[in-house]
Amino acid sequence: MAAAVYAQPGSGARFDWGLSGAAELGRVCAALVVVDVLSFTTAVEVAVGRGMRVHPFPWGEQAADYARRVGAVAAVGRRQTTPEHPWSLSPAALATAPVVTDLVLPSPNGSAISAAASATGLPVVAACLRNARAVGRWLRRHGYGAKDAPVGVVASGERWPDGTLRPSVEDQLGAASVLDALSGVPGGLSVEAAMALAVLASTPDVPAAVRGCVSGRELIEGGFAADVEVAVRMDVSEVVPLLRQGVFSAA
């Protein structure tokens, strides 16, 4: 009984956090949406919008080996870029870096969740503040959100130093922006989804909230304010990155 309720049955749009939440919703939903505003899914939206194919990959040194095997370029850490290798998890850097056909983009949160979700065979969409409404329209157009075709929206969150999940303001607002675009779907919202949406409704200035939250301040104080500014541009993109056979490309 308890295990069944974790999947928020009876609703068309559902919400949860992190890798475990994605695994639970992936068992019962017809599609998944992964949200990692700072910065994986924002970086995916930027790269796919420029014509690149993005391979999600868990954070770690094996990403470079995987990239060599599939004939891709491996992104590096923000502070590891060089003029010859400018590809990283930085959305601002990806907006100006040379376009490559295939980019392996590792991250400990959104990318790891996307890579794991790929194994379910479900449609997996990368959403952020930039494309939340476009993602919502795409899902509705394809019939997701009905009780017999529910969609699970997953806020990736961040990590504490011990590796445990740290729920994050920016991902809750990003996920809620997708859920807002799904309001009125035939299956309705789960309680969890409705509560996430309530946070968005009570946030008068979403960009200011993202700039001022822990994750935003961490990037700004670390010298990556440009990444935050790219991420807080709301509904400026029609790009819907869809994960097919382990690769994000435009839906």
Side-chain angles (χ1 to χ4, degrees):
M1 175 74 71
V5 302
Y6 292 147
Q8 304 166 36
S11 53
R14 310 174 187 188
F15 169 75
D16 217 316
W17 284 95
L19 190 61
S20 296
E24 186 64 30
L25 294 184
R27 293 191 309 103
V28 295
C29 287
L32 291 177
V33 178
V34 177
V35 180
D36 185 351
V37 170
L38 296 175
S39 298
F40 174 73
T41 54
T42 299
V44 171
E45 182 277 326
V46 169
V48 169
R50 299 187 67 209
M52 300 186 227
R53 289 161 29 102
V54 176
H55 300 244
F57 198 85
W59 193 254
E61 295 178 359
Q62 298 85 357
D65 293 334
Y66 173 76
R68 281 191 289 271
R69 290 200 305 272
V70 300
V73 171
V76 296
R78 281 181 172 88
R79 298 189 186 281
Q80 297 172 308
T81 59
T82 65
E84 296 75 28
H85 197 102
W87 303 278
S88 76
L89 194 59
S90 161
L94 289 179
T96 59
V99 171
V100 294
T101 302
D102 287 271
L103 178 70
V104 175
L105 190 61
S107 88
N109 303 305
S111 193
I113 291 169
S114 298
S118 178
T120 66
L122 298 176
V124 179
V125 178
C128 57
L129 292 171
R130 295 169 59 86
N131 69 347
R133 294 214 172 275
V135 167
R137 286 193 296 270
W138 184 89
L139 291 165
R140 296 177 74 128
R141 189 164 63 248
H142 287 81
Y144 299 115
K147 286 186 178 180
D148 60 351
V151 56
V153 180
V154 180
S156 297
E158 299 292 340
R159 301 290 184 103
W160 288 110
D162 65 0
T164 55
L165 173 71
R166 176 174 67 79
S168 58
V169 168
E170 72 279 5
D171 289 346
Q172 181 156 16
L173 291 172
S177 296
V178 176
L179 291 166
D180 188 38
L182 292 171
S183 295
V185 291
L189 303 182
S190 69
V191 171
E192 287 76 10
M195 293 305 296
L197 189 54
V199 172
L200 179 67
S202 64
T203 305
D205 190 337
V206 170
V210 174
R211 293 185 189 102
C213 74
V214 169
S215 302
R217 291 171 60 190
E218 181 180 30
L219 281 175
I220 292 168
E221 292 172 12
F224 298 100
D227 285 342
V228 179
E229 292 310 306
V230 171
V232 299
R233 297 186 64 199
M234 299 180 67
D235 299 317
V236 297
S237 173
E238 293 297 316
V239 175
V240 178
L242 177 63
L243 188 64
R244 291 171 284 209
Q245 298 181 325
V247 182
F248 280 110
S249 58

